[in-house]
Amino acid sequence: MTTGKGGLEAINQVPVRQSGLAALGLAALGVVFGDIGTSPLYTLKTVVALAGGKSDPDVVLGCLSLIIWTLTIITTIKYVMVAMQIDNDGEGGILALMSLIGIKRHRRPMIIAAGLFGAALIYGDGAITPAISVLSAVEGLERAAPAVAPYILPLTIGILVALFLIQPLGTARIGRAFGPIMLCWFVVIGVLGLIAMFRHPSVIGAINPVYAIHFLAISGVTGFLVLGGVFLCVTGAEALYADMGHFGAAPIRLSWFGIVFPALFFSYAGQSAYILDNGASDDNIFFRLCPDSLLLPLVILATLATIIASQSIISGAFSMTRQAIRLGWMPRMFVTQTSEEGYGQIYVGVVNWLLMLVTIGLVLAFRKSDNLASAYGIAVSATMLMTSVLLFIAMREVLQWSLIKAAIVAGFFLTVDSLFFAANLVKIADGGYIPLILAASVYAVMYIWHLGQTAMRDRLRGRAIPLAPFLAGLPAAGVSRVRGSAVFLTRVKTETPPVICWYVDHSHALQERVIALTMETQLTPWVDDANRATLALEGPNFWRVNARYGFLERPDVVQLLDDLTKRGCGVDLTDVTYYVAVETVVSREDGGGLPKWLVAVFALLHRNAMHLSDAFNFPRDRLIEIGRQVAI
């Protein structure tokens, strides 16, 4: 396993002391469990509504049993116990899993496609999470003060706008308070649920899965539809796996088993006990557990918890975008490091403002959390289904499980995921199409960008000429070697970089000292400094450098060259000029290459992508851009 620099990436590399484990577990509460931790606000009331609003013991205990066993099977067994055994140099999540088994070990196009679409689906439901979470919390004000009912929608939008507006400032300082706030949240919902359970202790019997099976057996189509609501209790489960690289598996497991799972169990059981005692209610059952005198503080706490849950989703979208960019599946975007304390503290403006527009649009369109629940879950259920497929391959190749063992475990996960996915498909007409459209749009951008980049690379490689004859022919062509050093960024690893050829053609000169620099993204999150770059002298004062960076690292050309000079590279850093090609993408005139519509879309993405000089931290005052046209 490789080690990297900075951040929390080294957590999985060394043993964690008990005190450190507890601290990381507390921090994980504020980052990992926000989404799944706030699901009691809307899950059970949605499930009861789908079940016809009945308060019969068979219905209530059956629904509660379904929720308990969904949390157990999907979150506890699938993600916490099984998936977290599989990591890509400490990183988890569907993109890390895809790169591990779809590219790193064997190049498998179908696995790559499944992993990328699964990641795109997370964007789809990621826009709904802030909307439904904050709206559910603010709706609690209606019970505390009915007069505020007309202002619930404006207040929700105001909170969401403020949340997105503070993203450029970073969340490092605020993030320190996330863990304690979420700890308070879980304690409160657990205590409220436990008190309600004492009034109707029979709800403990829902631990028996027979109640869930019996409910499904007697309910027919209704029971199938209820599964779509039950799934809301695990919509944040994918985050457990995706955030493994930030905290390590041990702290996440400690928080889940020690705090989160018990609190969720008590909360859902307490709400079920209330229904058995008082019947189903049209308003939010969750807030019915709280005494009237404490309702306003609970609403405030719930709002803070949902803001934290929304922040986790937004930060996750930033991190996943950076991974996709570094892996070559998304256009380059400006990624701002908002804190020196951790690599995960980043901001991606394009993603932030697009998410804000979609989230506010969803609030205005659906207006109530009950309505949003109809659009929620379908994308995450599809992602979980794809993760189960990838896990089967990883069980065989990474964990070295036997075919029978892997087939039984993965087959069980696939069966459960398929049932939930099928139940969520019913939501398509009621708004479930929205996350699917968002996901399809993201996937299309990924696919077109990768196709275009591959076509450009192949086109340029086909034009490359051998380096030795090129250097030998410079004197005969009247090209003089002038004073100074030059660094040319190129994709070509063996022949003469086309950007050097174009520069020589235009200037009829070449510096005394030249570096042909290739920057590569590895399929690991971090690259050891010892393996950072290879340096080869391929001609008189002509060096070829191949630099490697993990998909979670930010390249720094100046720092790289400073390190290379210590290894014998004769470049004078006080007198160096950097050359980067700026390509204009057009369609091929011979009718070959990519379809014209695809080239047009790729050209649009390419024009609006962040420039390479910014991506690799070139000094702007020493940078020269060379224009060129590439037909693909």
Side-chain angles (χ1 to χ4, degrees), residues 402-441:
S402 67
L403 178 61
I404 295 177
K405 181 180 178 181
I408 292 174
V409 175
F412 178 62
F413 293 154
L414 281 169
T415 301
V416 174
D417 289 336
S418 298
L419 284 173
F420 281 117
F421 178 65
N424 277 288
L425 283 177
V426 181
K427 299 179 180 181
I428 288 182
D430 295 325
Y433 60 88
I434 292 175
L436 293 181
I437 290 175
L438 292 173
S441 301

Side-chain angles (χ1 to χ4, degrees), residues 182-194 263 286 298 301:
M182 290 306 297
L183 177 61
C184 180
W185 166 257
F186 286 118
V187 170
V188 168
I189 68 172
V191 170
L192 289 176
L194 192 58
F286 174 84
L298 179 61
L301 179 61

Side-chain angles (χ1 to χ4, degrees), residues 447-489:
Y447 186 71
I448 291 173
W449 179 258
H450 188 73
L451 277 181
Q453 288 287 92
T454 302
M456 282 182 60
R457 184 167 54 249
D458 292 343
R459 187 71 168 168
L460 294 174
R461 186 183 296 120
R463 296 178 177 179
I465 61 176
L467 180 62
F470 173 79
L471 293 176
L474 291 179
V479 177
S480 58
R481 303 295 292 268
V482 298
R483 176 179 171 274
S485 301
V487 175
F488 292 89
L489 185 66

Side-chain angles (χ1 to χ4, degrees), residues 199-239:
R199 301 186 191 123
H200 211 300
S202 64
V203 293
I204 297 177
I207 295 175
N208 188 341
V210 171
Y211 282 98
I213 297 171
H214 177 68
F215 170 74
L216 292 175
I218 65 173
S219 299
V221 176
T222 299
F224 178 73
L225 296 177
V226 163
L227 288 177
V230 169
F231 185 77
L232 297 177
C233 74
V234 291
T235 49
E238 189 78 23

